[in-house]
Amino acid sequence: MSTSSTPDTTHTASAAFRGALDVIGAVEPRIAEAIGAELRDQRESLKLIASENYASPATLLAMGNWLSDKYAEGTIGHRFYAGCQNVDTVESIAAEHARELFGARHAYAQPHSGIDANLVAFWSVLAQRVESPALERAGARQANDLTEADWEELRHDLGNQRMLGMSLDAGGHLTHGFRPNISGKMFHQRSYGTDPATGLLDYDAVRAAAREFRPLILIAGYSAYPRLINFRVMREIADEVGATLMVDMAHFAGLVAGKVLTGDFDPVPNAQIVTTTTHKSLRGPRGGMVLCDDSLAQQVDRGCPMVLGGPLPHVMAAKAVALAEARQPAFRDYAQHVVDNSRALAEGLLTRGARLVTGGTDNHIVLLDVSGYGLTGRQAEAALLESGIVTNRNSIPRDPNGAWYTSGIRLGTPALTTRGLGTADMDEVAALIDGVLSQTTPGTTKSGKPSKASHVLADGVAKRTAERAGELLAQHPLYPGIDLG
Ligand code: DSN
């Protein structure tokens, strides 16, 4: 696992983790045991969950310390608590790395997750486009200064804005206006999908929907779309209808950081506001971040306490470490290998007759339509898990099996690439997946009908596959040199 060109500190990291577990175990041994078990499980599983990765020891260690003890609501240099000088340092360094890495005018490192980052972005756009003009009209500095009548009008206006985002079954995220999610309740929402014939984003259809719906926010970004998005075109559409373009790059932030996605495919120069998580392809700690242009910086910096609870300074420290790693030249190689591996995985599946949504991939995601194997996503996920391969079931466009059973399996290569697996290994991974799914059949319900949930795996397949997966993983050890004793 190569994360940077910094000096090798593996031996020291190993001692640090061992020491930490000794200290934790002296208080609550079951927690120390669970932490150790998680490392064992991660080492032993072939992880293809597209949103997961392995953070470096430096990133992990940055989180376990006394920075966690500090309250720091507010923003850098403007806190609601005294004594935040070290948190200011940490947050400034995280923001500086983010700005430099992504070429962003402004970066906000506080969000605790991707959903939090999106909420900050929604609120920032509402504050800029709806609240600020209302305050100005009323001659007020803040909402507290408004008369009751003006306040009622503002609340009405804030609650009646429109958002247009990619539908969940086309690969969009829950927070892009899915009705059961808060985003679908905060905004009048409409979704755009993908072309039924190709599975690809249809920019003309997005433009037509935007012209008709006239959203305040146009969201681009996905968690299960295996192709690229042209953000320049999305910005043109947003500008034409007076919308703010927001890009949620949570999934592909690592590909942006690693300069695999550039020009029209880089969201940062094209969108007014960009949100991300830091733990997926970016390979940092679990958390979120917002990048924006100057026009939204002030609103974004009010994220805490307007939208977020107190920042997590220890996690911001880990974000700073991971972002510093992502600025190393080795990260560009990593990002390119993630996509090379994804293409090799797709190719390996296609040559074995599998059906892929859009027929392939341009990013880190491969969306496998398992109906070709006569299975639901849930059955495929379970059969693969039994065989030592960790994936997640996922809807495919116009999925007949809904969001619970689904007809797809989402595969992603960021984690295995961090472990060092290459394109030849991906062909073997494809063979293992195809082998398991070809030898799995649906189970039956109590009434004798075909089940959407249970599956039957031919004798010996799970054991043989898990053994072969284990051999493959043994060639690419996870956290080599980290020995918990
Ligand atoms: N849970 C993330 C994913 O798996 O894509 C999105 O929130």
Side-chain angles (χ1 to χ4, degrees):
M1 177 180 176
S2 80
T3 51
S4 73
S5 56
T6 46
D8 185 4
T9 51
T10 310
H11 182 73
T12 319
S14 184
F17 285 118
R18 240 188 352 262
L21 289 190
D22 283 350
V23 174
I24 295 163
V27 179
E28 178 45 287
R30 292 173 299 177
I31 294 298
E33 174 51 35
I35 295 171
E38 183 60 29
L39 177 59
R40 279 195 300 281
D41 290 352
Q42 300 255 359
R43 279 177 163 158
E44 288 166 12
S45 53
L46 196 85
K47 179 155 94 170
L48 282 159
I49 293 187
S51 48
E52 293 187 6
N53 211 326
Y54 306 108
S56 71
T59 298
L60 296 176
L61 286 167
M63 282 183 277
N65 56 68
W66 32 90
L67 282 169
S68 166
D69 295 336
K70 192 73 194 96
Y71 243 125
E73 286 182 4
T75 190
I76 302 164
H78 186 81
R79 308 278 183 186
F80 291 87
Y81 291 81
C84 294
Q85 59 281 0
N86 300 309
V87 181
D88 278 349
T89 302
V90 163
E91 186 170 349
S92 300
I93 295 171
E96 175 194 310
H97 280 311
R99 283 193 309 272
E100 293 292 324
L101 178 63
F102 292 107
R105 294 286 305 170
H106 187 71
Y108 183 62
Q110 290 193 24
H112 309 154
S113 69
I115 289 187
D116 285 0
N118 286 351
L119 287 173
V120 170
F122 298 155
W123 170 246
S124 300
V125 178
L126 287 170
Q128 181 201 41
R129 305 270 314 268
V130 182
E131 186 184 45
S132 292
L135 295 179
E136 213 168 296
R137 276 196 305 276
R141 276 188 59 247
Q142 52 171 334
N144 258 348
D145 303 331
L146 293 173
T147 63
E148 277 309 303
D150 286 340
W151 173 231
E152 277 310 311
E153 192 182 326
L154 173 58
R155 276 161 47 85
H156 174 271
D157 289 350
L158 287 170
N160 279 289
Q161 298 301 323
R162 291 185 290 273
M163 165 190 288
L164 177 64
M166 196 178 206
S167 69
L168 194 63
D169 80 340
H173 190 255
L174 288 171
T175 53
H176 298 181
F178 185 53
R179 279 195 180 157
N181 181 263
I182 180 84
S183 57
K185 298 186 173 89
M186 278 172 79
F187 290 89
H188 297 289
Q189 59 76 234
R190 196 174 287 181
S191 303
Y192 55 86
T194 46
D195 183 289
T198 61
L200 299 174
L201 193 54
D202 176 348
Y203 296 97
D204 290 338
V206 178
R207 191 183 302 275
R211 280 180 181 161
E212 193 193 315
F213 191 54
R214 307 207 72 88
L216 179 78
I217 302 179
L218 173 64
I219 305 191
Y222 51 80
S223 50
Y225 180 66
R227 298 292 180 172
L228 308 186
I229 294 181
N230 186 320
F231 298 113
R232 181 186 52 76
V233 173
M234 294 302 275
R235 176 62 183 266
E236 279 168 16
I237 295 171
D239 285 349
E240 186 190 322
V241 301
T244 297
L245 178 63
M246 168 180 161
V247 176
D248 178 346
M249 66 167 183
H251 257 265
F252 49 92
L255 306 188
V256 179
K259 309 300 173 210
V260 173
L261 301 183
T262 56
D264 294 352
F265 304 102
D266 179 348
V268 180
N270 288 299
Q272 285 102 332
I273 188 157
V274 177
T275 59
T276 187
T277 52
T278 45
H279 50 273
K280 297 188 174 90
S281 54
L282 194 53
R283 207 165 60 184
R286 191 156 293 280
M289 211 159 59
V290 180
L291 309 173
C292 63
D293 63 19
D294 291 332
S295 71
L296 280 160
Q298 220 184 343
Q299 285 86 354
V300 165
D301 277 348
R302 293 202 190 111
C304 170
M306 293 303 146
V307 180
L308 303 172
L312 308 175
H314 54 306
V315 181
M316 291 197 288
K319 287 174 187 171
V321 171
L323 290 164
E325 289 171 346
R327 292 184 66 192
Q328 304 276 338
F331 196 85
R332 293 193 181 197
D333 297 338
Y334 165 71
Q336 186 57 54
H337 289 153
V338 167
V339 177
D340 294 346
N341 278 344
S342 184
R343 290 210 173 102
L345 180 61
E347 200 51 44
L349 288 163
L350 287 170
T351 53
R352 290 171 177 86
R355 283 191 213 155
L356 302 184
V357 173
T358 78
T361 180
D362 292 322
N363 58 23
H364 62 297
I365 293 173
V366 175
L367 192 55
L368 173 59
D369 174 354
V370 293
S371 63
Y373 295 97
L375 300 171
T376 63
R378 187 168 159 168
Q379 289 161 333
E381 176 191 85
L384 290 168
L385 185 64
E386 204 180 317
S387 311
I389 301 175
V390 187
T391 65
N392 68 280
R393 65 185 185 278
N394 209 101
S395 299
I396 61 172
R398 292 159 284 280
D399 199 314
N401 285 321
W404 180 249
Y405 293 110
T406 82
S407 303
I409 285 288
R410 186 183 65 167
L411 308 169
T413 51
L416 290 186
T417 306
T418 295
R419 266 186 103 134
L421 278 80
T423 50
D425 300 312
M426 289 302 134
D427 186 60
E428 174 126 29
V429 171
L432 293 178
I433 292 171
D434 179 66
V436 170
L437 299 183
S438 317
Q439 296 174 83
T440 303
T441 48
T444 42
T445 61
K446 280 187 193 142
S447 59
K449 294 197 179 124
S451 165
K452 284 186 174 189
S454 65
H455 69 279
V456 180
L457 193 45
D459 276 352
V461 175
K463 186 164 179 289
R464 277 198 305 278
T465 306
E467 277 167 10
R468 183 57 201 131
E471 285 163 16
L472 202 55
L473 293 175
Q475 292 163 29
H476 303 284
L478 177 62
Y479 298 112
I482 303 291
D483 177 8
L484 300 184

